[in-house]
Amino acid sequence: MKVERIALSGFRNYDEETVEFGPGVNVIWGKNAQGKTNLLEAVYLLTGAHSFRTRFDRELIGKGCDWASILAEVDSGGRRQTIRLLFRPGQRRQVTVNGSRRTSSSLAGLMTAVLFSPEDLYIIKDGSAARRKLMDTAISQLRPGYGSILSDFNRLYENKTRILKDWREKPRLLDTLDEFSDELAKCSARMIRYRASFVDRLSKAAGPIHRDFSGGGEVLTMTYKTVSTVTDPRAPAEEIYRQILSHQQAHRQAELEAGQCLTGAHKDDIEITIDGLTARSFASQGQTRTAALSIKLAEREIFKAETGQYPVLLLDDVLSELDGTRQEFVLNRIGGGQTLITCCEDENISRRTGGRVFSVERGRIK
């Protein structure tokens, strides 16, 4: 999996720029706020037309521009594919593959990427939403059908939440509450099975990476947490569904009183520990960065095992807070596939990796 060429028009701070990446390591350097992360964002958008920085397409359109376009040639499983994304204010994004209109979800599997950015430290230290995002982003690329389930779940969750908040003013809304609860339980059951399986694989892959990354002295574990009545998150979906219904029935009155949905996959989390201690509470800054990066490198290995090819690895400012030993560990682990790595200075990364070098200044790539 690799991006051979990408052309940006009216995207963020890029007016008209085209870049051809090498098949291995590509070093993208420049001062802050020049467009390095914007370039990684454009590549990441090829995986499903969703940004890792904003929910709003209008923010992708450059100042003074009426639209933004990303046109890329990618090698996917030995086949060259041409992907184009078009963003216009107030309109649905347009996705075409080899000239044919497609949906955003159809890009899953066609183009895969694993991203590490400074915000990914939240995987360790932030609330459960950050870890659910980790699961959902990865699984949506690995299992295209998961994205559809997730979309259905979000729609049902929003509707049920609206009912729980407004039923006192509009009592007739309660007529549909049980129907939404039932459908939400079905979606949750399917999502839980996907998530449990993924976290199992992620923990097995991340543990050895983190042990080597930390010099052999630390043990990283990851445990999937879901609805308390679910005894086995890897059980058949029908069994999980019944157990979720049991939880819903027990908490129905509490939901009505609180005006909140208390049962479902939106409560899921991953418990991450380092040497038996909860990382969220006890991990140092160095441990947090090492653990987060180990998880991302493990995600890359899962993609390779699943698809037979490495996903594009996007590393945004990954080396700035690492000492020399840990920098060498990362640079030695990113071989075998295409990597785009940003930094504020070249820092001899190109010499250490043999990579192609690009500099970015005010939205111009050299």
Side-chain angles (χ1 to χ4, degrees):
M1 184 73 63
K2 56 181 178 288
V3 180
E4 297 180 340
R5 178 178 178 272
I6 191 167
L8 307 178
S9 300
F11 180 80
R12 294 285 193 181
N13 69 329
Y14 290 99
D15 291 330
E16 295 283 345
E17 285 296 309
T18 300
V19 58
E20 295 183 3
F21 295 118
V25 177
N26 296 266
V27 180
I28 304 163
W29 70 278
K31 296 180 180 179
N32 290 328
Q34 301 302 304
K36 303 186 301 295
T37 301
N38 293 344
L39 184 55
L40 294 194
E41 181 183 31
V43 172
Y44 188 81
L45 279 159
L46 300 174
T47 65
H50 295 288
S51 169
F52 61 87
R53 303 165 75 192
T54 179
R55 294 170 49 209
F56 306 107
D57 288 353
R58 63 176 179 271
E59 296 182 8
L60 305 176
I61 302 173
K63 185 177 181 180
C65 298
D66 296 326
W67 49 270
S69 171
I70 302 172
L71 180 64
E73 293 178 0
V74 306
D75 184 320
S76 177
R79 295 182 57 192
R80 175 171 290 186
Q81 310 276 2
T82 301
I83 301 173
R84 186 179 189 230
L85 309 178
L86 181 62
F87 305 94
R88 290 193 178 100
Q91 299 184 32
R92 296 189 66 178
R93 69 197 69 153
Q94 292 184 16
V95 178
T96 60
V97 178
N98 299 328
S100 300
R101 289 287 294 270
R102 303 280 286 273
T103 62
S104 297
S105 60
S106 69
L107 295 177
L110 179 65
M111 169 68 189
T112 58
V114 170
L115 166 77
F116 177 87
S117 68
E119 287 73 23
D120 285 313
L121 299 179
Y122 295 137
I123 295 171
I124 309 299
K125 287 293 190 179
D126 211 353
S128 57
R131 291 176 287 280
R132 287 194 296 273
K133 182 179 179 181
L134 166 71
M135 293 187 283
D136 292 341
T137 300
I139 300 170
S140 292
Q141 292 191 62
L142 287 169
R143 299 285 185 268
Y146 181 83
S148 177
I149 300 170
L150 179 62
S151 178
D152 289 342
F153 176 89
N154 289 334
R155 174 181 53 81
L156 292 164
Y157 174 77
E158 290 176 5
N159 285 325
K160 181 176 178 180
T161 299
R162 192 175 302 116
I163 292 170
L164 291 171
K165 287 182 176 180
D166 298 342
W167 71 269
R168 289 181 177 85
E169 288 76 23
K170 303 175 183 178
R172 292 189 62 183
L173 289 175
L174 293 180
D175 295 342
T176 60
L177 177 60
D178 291 339
E179 179 181 349
F180 279 110
S181 293
D182 186 72
E183 292 299 319
L184 198 65
K186 290 177 180 177
C187 282
S188 292
R190 298 172 69 188
M191 290 171 62
I192 286 168
R193 295 187 76 246
Y194 277 115
R195 286 174 172 178
S197 175
F198 175 74
V199 173
D200 284 347
R201 299 178 68 182
L202 193 62
S203 182
K204 290 177 182 177
I209 294 174
H210 182 83
R211 184 179 60 247
D212 294 343
F213 202 174
S214 61
E218 294 179 352
V219 177
L220 173 74
T221 65
M222 304 176 69
T223 306
Y224 176 62
K225 300 294 184 180
T226 189
V227 179
S228 60
T229 52
V230 176
T231 56
D232 180 6
R234 299 151 200 86
E238 183 63 28
E239 180 178 336
I240 297 173
Y241 161 68
R242 290 194 299 270
Q243 293 173 342
I244 293 174
L245 283 183
S246 174
H247 191 276
Q248 279 185 340
Q249 292 166 2
H251 290 77
R252 190 179 193 278
Q253 187 60 38
E255 288 187 332
L256 290 171
E257 293 174 358
Q260 296 180 9
C261 183
L262 302 178
T263 301
H266 61 290
K267 294 288 188 178
D268 286 0
D269 199 358
I270 304 173
E271 183 181 59
I272 302 172
T273 67
I274 299 175
D275 289 342
L277 298 176
T278 303
R280 184 181 179 190
S281 301
F282 297 102
S284 67
Q285 184 174 352
Q287 287 176 319
T288 296
R289 180 170 286 269
T290 300
L293 189 50
S294 296
I295 290 169
K296 286 295 182 173
L297 292 174
E299 186 181 335
R300 180 178 184 247
E301 295 302 321
I302 291 174
F303 276 60
K304 172 63 163 58
E306 186 77 19
T307 66
Q309 55 184 336
Y310 278 115
V312 178
L313 182 61
L314 308 174
L315 300 177
D316 191 18
D317 194 27
V318 69
L319 301 179
S320 61
E321 299 296 330
L322 298 178
D323 59 32
T325 300
R326 284 176 168 78
Q327 284 187 8
E328 288 301 320
F329 177 85
V330 173
L331 295 177
N332 289 333
R333 292 284 313 202
I334 61 178
Q338 187 182 58
T339 299
L340 278 58
I341 181 170
T342 69
C343 54
C344 290
E345 296 181 10
D346 184 358
E347 299 179 356
N348 294 319
I349 297 174
S350 57
R351 176 182 59 79
R352 292 152 72 185
T353 63
R356 187 175 294 185
V357 182
F358 305 88
S359 65
V360 179
E361 183 176 359
R362 297 181 180 179
R364 300 301 303 271
I365 303 172
K366 302 177 183 179

